[in-house]
Every structure is written in structure tokens, then in C-alpha cells.
Amino acid sequence: SSTGCISLWNFASSPQSLRFEIPFAHQGKISDLAFSQNGILIFSAGTDSFFRVWCATTGENLAQFPLSAPVSSLSVLPDSSTHIVALGD
């Protein structure tokens, strides 16, 4: 999102419904998102030079990590204990 907003939708329901929205997850563009393998966590990276961890049930911010440059992409290993981020454009 170019507005820094994360929206989680439930497409299993009919009609589809918005589970929650995090309006200001990042200041500026969100460059990448990923779920943990078990679906409990959401990982986000942004051009604001932060990597953040969210609860996928409530949208609560569980952790945030300031980095030295904007994040262009992220990857999460299957056990969710290791996260790889690419910095820069």
C-alpha cells in the first residue's frame, strides 16, 4: 500500500468481510508483507525503514525493528524465527 495501511479480508465468508485494518502500519509505502507459516503473525516492511510484526488475529503491533535504510523486500523462513530483509531501492 502506498498509504501505509494493512487490510486483512476474510474471503471465506459470504459476503467477504474486512477482519481488521491497520491504518498507519508504516509511514509511507509498504514494500512487502508475509504471513508466518502458521498464519498467526503478519510481517511488514516499509520505505519508512521499519520491519514490523503484527498479530494476524487482532492487528496488534507485537514488535518493530528500525533499520538503516528503506526495506525493498522481506522473506520469512518456514519456522518464522528468521527474517531476511533487503534494504535500499
Side-chain angles (χ1 to χ4, degrees):
S1 166
S2 62
T3 62
C5 176
I6 296 174
S7 300
L8 186 63
W9 290 83
N10 181 358
F11 286 99
S13 66
S14 184
Q16 290 79 28
S17 61
L18 181 65
R19 285 180 54 187
F20 64 79
E21 188 167 70
I22 306 166
F24 301 103
H26 288 269
Q27 293 180 1
K29 183 180 176 185
I30 294 173
S31 49
D32 211 349
L33 290 170
F35 273 99
S36 61
Q37 187 171 359
N38 62 11
I40 294 174
L41 302 173
I42 298 171
F43 306 102
S44 66
T47 58
D48 60 356
S49 302
F50 275 90
F51 171 77
R52 292 188 167 97
V53 182
W54 308 90
C55 174
T57 304
T58 65
E60 177 186 0
N61 184 323
L62 302 175
Q64 59 184 12
F65 304 94
L67 302 169
S68 62
V71 181
S72 59
S73 64
L74 70 90
S75 184
V76 181
L77 293 181
D79 67 0
S80 298
S81 69
T82 304
H83 311 90
I84 303 165
V85 295
L87 303 178
D89 293 330

